[in-house]
């Protein structure tokens, strides 16, 4: 079993997310995360899918994605040659005693505090998934009130890019 | 010129070459039916008894001709009644455009009368589908739908058109019919590898699937077989691509395939798989499948390569294009030892075949019918034992003459499909069916009568759900749970009640008389043929087994 990152360009139309996610569930593919958002060209959205599986699963996913009419381009991202980021918002319980410890962790992980109350601190953190996982572990003892995680987005380093074929 | 949405639909269908629409009217398609009325001289509409029958008819029309079948239904139940027909076409890669009306856009999402999310429902069973919310997009959407349905591996496309979109107007500019997008040619280097594998093979085997029919590559397959002394086995979907009497044809492979077709495949050292998808019914136990052979898999759908069987070489492309190029590169190589081994298998199979039970045997009925059909007679089937008997026995002589539901195995498919094939070809059409399958959608007899269609309906009537019963006999200790029907249906009288001719036969002599009559009537005829309930479809390779476990008699 390996982790794979797949980048997609899809038509920016209603129902496309359903088509893609429906294909995954119908064919029994397990995905770890799926993100979607509009690109600089409003006609297209970009998706990043992360999955765990073997090469058979990976090849089938890519081929089945290519068959969807609204999917314009599919590419397996090379982890060595791409940058990947994920964002979390995480709210933890804080008291006057432990607030400084939390602030120290925020500094080490280079995240931002975006909200503050007498009983809580809310932070924003971006990075690769491993870093986020580590930070979440670190925050557990304080008591995580709630958290949101975007799932990974990923693009090539350098000048290459995912393009809709002519 | 400014046209309403429903006018645009009619004009675009005609522009795309549609001659016949199968369908059923209703509230959400009244505008479309009004324009069909006004354009009746330009486009024919065939009303079915039930929308499912219309969908199967559009499917049968497409299978018989290769053209895109068109079906039209109203919203809600009209649309959901299409579902089985669309799924059937999807599994067998049949080009179809399904059009449904829906409630007006302002009523969508409010659980309005006869509103259903047919786009959501058909998402997994269409190649693509659309809801058109702006009449300005309608013509191009329909054009794109036809192109998608026909291109590459064909399939059904659904277009849902809300009622207000049918009424609103937009500018319409006629265009030429779209042409299918052609696949890129296969890489030369891959062809060279294929040639090497083929030339080094001592025991080559051609596995011919539905893609060969779609591609129109029957002649190429025969030429290659002759050059290589390679026998040909067929998936059920590939039957009729090559005439059954072609000397190298071994008939169908798979669960109910011929002994030779299955056995030769296991002894082959090279399998050239053409336009097949290695379905579980065709392969049995995949771990034992062609264990001693290298597999070259040619298919137009990339996702089929390495999906069910890992090929040593996958060629993505059109079968005909690939074979045309291979034939130039391959030199003739005779293999008398391999052919002698095949002949030996054939003798073994002949010596181990079973004896028919009862006066009328399934093969006897099929033979009697085939003596009266012409080379290009479309032969439709339903699903079950009779279907397998036809696949095993009927002498197919011309491509696209078998109209049968393979992937989905849809009981109730046959009559609608036979109606579609009959209308498409204008030829007398035969339907082989069973009493179980026929009971599912026999209401379409009304359609065959109203359209005055010469369809000869041969019911192999054993009074049981024979295929399920056969499994109960073999694997469920003869627990005949709900397969003994105890019905008293008089199919001959039923046919007469519908306004068709109805006949019944229990002996070979009666059958001869019935068939003579049936083939001279210019309209639908039902012949109820009594066969023994214990007739089995043999050979049989039990599910998930290999040819080693084949049951011959």
């Amino acid at each position: 079993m390996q982790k794979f990152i797949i980048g997609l360009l899809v038509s920016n139309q209603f129902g496309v997310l359903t088509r893609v996610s429906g294909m995954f569930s119908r064919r029994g593919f397990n995905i770890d995360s799926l993100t979607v958002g509009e690109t600089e060209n409003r006609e297209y959205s970009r998706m990043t899918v992360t999955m765990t599986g073997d090469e058979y699963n990976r090849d089938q996913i890519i081929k089945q994605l290519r068959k969807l009419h609204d999917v314009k381009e599919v590419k397996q991202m090379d982890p060595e040659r791409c940058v990947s980021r994920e964002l979390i918002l995480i709210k933890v319980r804080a008291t006057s005693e432990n607030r400084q410890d939390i602030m120290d962790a925020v500094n080490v992980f280079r995240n931002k505090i975006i909200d503050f109350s007498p009983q809580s601190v809310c932070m924003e953190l971006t990075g690769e998934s491993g870093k986020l996982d580590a930070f979440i572990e670190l925050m557990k003892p304080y008591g995580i009130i709630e958290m949101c995680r975007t799932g990974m987005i990923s693009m090539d380093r350098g000048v290459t890019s995912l393009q809709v074929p002519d | 010129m400014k046209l309403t949405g429903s006018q645009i639909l009619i004009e675009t269908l005609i522009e795309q070459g549609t001659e016949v629409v199968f369908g059923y009217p209703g509230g959400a398609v009244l505008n479309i039916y009004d324009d069909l009325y006004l354009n009746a001289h330009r486009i024919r509409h065939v009303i079915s008894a039930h929308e499912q029958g219309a969908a199967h008819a559009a499917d049968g029309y497409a299978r018989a001709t290769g053209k895109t079948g068109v079906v039209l239904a109203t919203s809600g139940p009209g649309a959901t009644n299409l579902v089985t027909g669309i799924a059937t076409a999807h599994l067998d890669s049949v080009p179809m455009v399904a059009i449904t009306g829906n409630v007006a856009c302002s009523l969508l999402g409010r659980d309005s009368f006869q509103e259903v999310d047919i786009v959501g429902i058909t998402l997994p069973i269409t190649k693509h589908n659309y809801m058109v919310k702006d009449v300005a997009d309608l013509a191009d959407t329909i054009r794109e739908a036809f192109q998608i349905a026909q291109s590459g591996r064909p399939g059904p496309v659904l277009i849902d058109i809300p009622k207000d979109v049918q009424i609103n107007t937009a500018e319409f500019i006629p265009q030429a019919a779209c042409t299918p997008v052609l696949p890129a040619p296969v890489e030369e280097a891959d062809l060279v590898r294929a040639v090497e594998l083929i030339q080094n093979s001592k025991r080559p085997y051609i596995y011919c699937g539905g893609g060969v029919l779609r591609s129109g590559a029957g002649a190429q397959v025969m030429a290659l077989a002759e050059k290589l002394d390679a026998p040909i086995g067929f998936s059920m979907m590939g039957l009729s691509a090559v005439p059954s009497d072609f000397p190298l044809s071994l008939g169908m492979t798979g669960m109910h395939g011929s002994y030779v077709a299955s056995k030769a495949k296991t002894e082959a050292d090279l399998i050239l798989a053409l336009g097949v998808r290695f379905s579980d019914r065709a392969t049995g136990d995949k771990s034992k499948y062609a264990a001693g052979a290298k597999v070259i898999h040619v298919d137009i759908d990339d996702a089929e390569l390495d999906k069910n069987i890992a090929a040593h070489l996958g060629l993505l492309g059109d079968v005909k294009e690939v074979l045309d190029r291979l034939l130039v590169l391959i030199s003739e190589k005779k293999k008398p030892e391999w052919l002698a081994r095949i002949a030996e298998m054939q003798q073994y199979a002949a010596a181990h075949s079973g004896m028919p039970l009862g006066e009328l045997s399934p093969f006897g009925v099929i033979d009697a019918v085939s003596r009266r059909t012409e080379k290009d007679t479309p032969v439709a089937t339903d699903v079950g034992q009779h279907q397998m008997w036809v696949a095993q026995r009927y002498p197919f002589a011309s491509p696209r003459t078998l109209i049968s539901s393979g992937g989905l195995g849809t009981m109730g498919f046959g009559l609608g499909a036979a109606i579609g094939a009959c209308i498409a070809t204008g030829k007398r059409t035969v339907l082989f069916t069973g009493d179980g399958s026929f009971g599912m959608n026999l209401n379409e007899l009304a359609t065959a009568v109203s359209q005055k269609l010469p369809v000869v309906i041969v019911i192999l009537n054993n009074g049981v759900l024979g295929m399920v019963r056969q499994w109960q006999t073999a694997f469920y200790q003869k627990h005949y749970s709900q397969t003994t029907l105890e019905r008293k249906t008089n199919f001959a009288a039923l046919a007469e009640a519908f306004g068709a001719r109805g006949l019944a036969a229990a002996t070979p002599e009666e059958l001869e008389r019935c068939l003579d009559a049936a083939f001279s009537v210019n309209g639908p005829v039902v012949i109820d043929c009594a066969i023994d309930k214990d007739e089995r479809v043999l050979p049989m390779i039990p599910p998930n087994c290999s040819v080693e476990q084949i049951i011959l008699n």
Side-chain angles (χ1 to χ4, degrees):
Chain A
M1 290 294 206
Q2 278 177 273
K3 275 200 171 299
F4 298 105
I5 311 169
I6 297 166
L8 293 96
L9 278 173
V10 302
S11 308
N12 185 12
Q13 277 173 9
F14 77 96
V16 177
L17 182 59
T18 313
R19 289 176 198 280
V20 170
S21 59
M23 190 279 288
F24 286 134
S25 61
R26 176 162 83 243
R27 294 197 178 268
F29 297 137
N30 285 316
I31 53 173
D32 300 327
S33 73
L34 190 160
T35 63
V36 58
E38 205 172 272
T39 64
E40 75 287 359
N41 181 344
R42 292 197 58 188
E43 280 184 42
Y44 302 112
S45 294
R46 173 124 179 184
M47 287 187 187
T48 306
V49 175
T50 62
M51 57 163 289
T52 311
D54 54 18
E55 285 178 9
Y56 171 82
N57 294 138
R58 177 203 60 191
D59 291 351
Q60 267 295 308
I61 281 190
I62 291 176
K63 286 173 170 183
Q64 295 293 350
L65 282 171
R66 286 207 176 110
K67 281 173 70 170
L68 297 177
H69 182 69
D70 284 327
V71 172
K72 301 302 172 189
E73 184 61 316
V74 186
K75 179 180 167 183
Q76 186 192 348
M77 309 297 290
D78 177 353
E80 305 293 316
R81 293 198 186 139
C82 70
V83 283
S84 299
R85 289 290 181 273
E86 199 180 351
L87 177 130
I88 55 170
L89 299 179
I90 183 165
K91 191 191 290 173
V92 297
R93 293 190 197 287
T95 59
S96 50
E97 288 85 60
N98 65 14
R99 186 165 288 132
Q100 191 53 48
D101 293 349
I102 294 171
M103 304 287 259
D104 290 346
V106 165
N107 282 333
V108 171
F109 278 83
R110 289 188 212 153
N111 46 1
K112 276 199 290 195
I113 292 180
I114 53 173
D115 186 48
F116 209 94
S117 80
Q119 294 88 29
S120 69
V121 178
C122 180
M123 293 152 285
E124 161 195 321
L125 175 58
T126 59
E128 302 216 13
S129 302
K131 174 181 160 186
L132 305 192
D133 292 339
F135 188 73
I136 293 164
E137 280 305 312
L138 196 61
M139 288 298 113
K140 274 185 182 167
Y142 300 102
I144 297 172
I145 299 168
E146 61 176 336
M147 62 168 282
C148 303
R149 192 165 179 160
T150 59
M152 190 189 282
I153 54 173
S154 194
M155 63 166 67
D156 280 350
R157 290 183 183 278
V159 75
T160 63
S161 68
L162 203 55
Q163 290 288 344
V164 174
D166 297 326
Chain B
M1 59 192 148
K2 282 249 179 204
L3 298 181
T4 64
S6 58
Q7 286 171 330
I8 289 172
L9 170 65
I10 306 292
E11 292 303 324
T12 318
L13 287 177
I14 293 170
E15 165 199 293
Q16 294 300 316
T18 305
E19 289 163 355
V20 188
V21 176
F22 299 90
Y24 203 101
V29 285
L30 270 165
N31 292 74
I32 296 170
Y33 274 85
D34 196 48
D35 282 304
L36 279 169
Y37 178 88
L38 296 171
N39 287 284
H41 57 293
R42 299 172 65 210
I43 187 163
R44 178 177 175 189
H45 180 275
V46 175
I47 180 172
S48 61
H50 183 285
E51 288 89 350
Q52 184 184 347
H56 292 323
D59 180 323
Y61 180 97
R63 288 183 205 239
T65 57
K67 291 195 274 189
T68 301
V70 179
V71 62
L72 169 62
T74 192
S75 64
T80 53
N81 281 346
L82 296 180
V83 168
T84 302
I86 294 172
T88 304
H90 187 60
L91 265 283
D92 287 347
S93 313
V94 176
M96 181 195 284
V97 170
I99 294 150
T100 48
N102 209 332
V103 299
C105 288
S106 58
L107 293 171
L108 284 170
R110 295 163 186 261
D111 302 322
S112 307
F113 177 66
Q114 293 195 330
E115 183 198 352
V116 81
D117 172 19
I118 196 63
V119 169
I121 289 171
T122 57
L123 214 59
I125 54 165
T126 49
K127 226 180 140 181
H128 191 57
N129 59 16
Y130 302 89
M131 149 103 44
V132 182
K133 286 190 172 169
D134 182 350
V135 67
D137 297 333
L138 183 60
D140 282 346
T141 303
I142 297 165
R143 289 168 184 140
E144 193 172 79
F146 271 86
Q147 185 159 49
I148 293 170
Q150 297 164 8
S151 297
R153 177 179 180 176
V157 180
L158 179 134
I159 311 169
D160 197 21
I161 312 175
K163 191 160 184 179
D164 53 329
V165 177
Q166 299 166 28
I167 296 166
N168 294 343
T169 58
E171 196 62 32
F172 177 78
I173 302 161
Q175 288 186 13
C178 65
T179 48
V181 181
L182 297 174
V186 171
E187 297 279 338
E188 191 68 27
D190 285 338
L191 270 191
V192 170
R193 275 193 64 203
V195 170
E196 199 182 294
L197 286 169
I198 291 167
Q199 298 287 36
N200 288 333
S201 162
K202 292 190 174 66
R203 296 180 306 281
Y205 180 101
I206 296 174
Y207 181 25
C208 172
V212 174
L213 280 166
R214 179 65 193 171
S215 174
Q220 284 78 357
V221 170
M222 287 187 277
L224 187 69
E226 281 178 330
K227 252 187 164 175
L228 299 173
D229 272 350
I232 312 169
F234 300 81
S235 71
M236 196 198 81
M237 295 304 301
L239 288 173
S240 86
V242 166
S244 303
D245 62 1
F246 182 67
L248 288 161
S249 166
L250 305 182
M252 185 170 70
T253 67
M255 183 174 278
H256 292 296
S258 77
Y259 170 76
V260 194
S262 299
K263 183 74 175 158
K265 200 191 277 183
T266 61
E267 293 191 13
D269 64 358
L270 177 77
I271 294 173
L272 189 55
L274 308 173
V276 292
R277 59 186 178 85
F278 297 102
S279 117
D280 55 296
R281 280 292 188 275
T283 61
D285 182 354
K286 288 195 170 62
S287 66
K288 294 207 178 100
Y289 185 80
K294 293 197 162 72
V295 175
I296 302 176
H297 188 184
V298 185
D299 205 275
I300 204 158
D301 180 357
D302 197 18
E304 288 305 333
L305 303 177
D306 295 331
K307 186 179 90 177
N308 290 334
I309 293 289
H312 295 77
L313 178 62
L315 300 177
L316 175 62
D318 178 72
V319 171
K320 189 175 182 178
E321 190 253 352
V322 170
L323 291 189
D324 274 334
R325 287 169 65 194
L326 277 180
L327 281 165
V328 177
L329 300 170
I330 286 169
S331 52
E332 187 160 316
K333 224 175 161 189
K334 291 293 166 194
K335 301 174 183 72
E337 282 176 23
W338 178 221
L339 292 188
R341 174 68 190 122
I342 303 281
E344 208 176 1
M345 293 176 204
Q346 250 145 357
Q347 278 166 9
Y348 179 85
H352 288 80
S353 61
M355 292 296 289
L357 311 165
E359 281 222 61
L360 268 188
S361 72
F363 282 0
V365 175
I366 293 165
D367 291 347
V369 172
S370 69
R371 284 195 291 274
R372 289 168 173 84
T373 52
E374 291 169 24
K375 284 191 166 184
D376 53 2
T377 299
V379 176
T381 77
D382 261 300
V383 167
Q385 286 186 312
H386 72 272
Q387 176 191 31
M388 291 298 105
W389 285 321
V390 170
Q392 293 174 335
R393 185 71 170 194
Y394 187 85
F396 295 100
S398 170
R400 298 188 173 281
T401 46
L402 174 62
I403 315 290
S404 191
S405 165
L408 197 67
T410 307
M411 286 175 73
F413 167 81
L415 185 51
I419 286 168
C422 185
I423 287 172
T425 59
K427 296 194 169 80
R428 187 183 303 280
T429 299
V430 171
L431 167 65
F432 286 104
T433 182
D435 49 314
S437 282
F438 191 62
M440 284 200 172
N441 281 331
L442 57 81
N443 49 3
E444 296 305 335
L445 263 179
T447 311
V449 168
S450 66
Q451 301 292 323
K452 303 183 181 69
L453 301 176
V455 181
V456 178
I457 300 161
V458 180
I459 305 175
L460 294 175
N461 186 350
N462 53 8
V464 295
L465 299 178
M467 185 59 94
V468 177
R469 180 187 159 93
Q470 177 170 338
W471 284 52
Q472 289 170 335
T473 305
F475 313 119
Y476 293 86
Q477 299 81 45
K478 299 191 180 179
H479 296 164
Y480 295 127
S481 177
Q482 303 301 320
T483 51
T484 311
L485 296 177
E486 308 284 3
R487 291 176 186 164
K488 300 271 180 273
T489 314
N490 180 336
F491 285 110
L494 178 103
E496 297 283 343
F498 269 100
R501 278 292 298 280
L503 305 163
T507 67
E509 296 71 37
E510 285 170 12
L511 179 65
E512 292 294 322
R513 278 200 301 278
C514 289
L515 286 172
D516 283 341
F519 276 80
S520 58
V521 171
N522 196 21
V525 184
V526 171
I527 309 173
D528 183 3
C529 303
I531 61 162
D532 193 279
K533 67 179 186 305
D534 290 320
E535 284 281 4
R536 288 178 298 164
V537 180
L538 294 173
M540 178 177 192
I541 300 175
N544 210 29
C545 290
S546 71
V547 71
E548 310 309 324
Q549 288 94 29
I550 196 165
I551 305 165
L552 283 176
N553 54 37

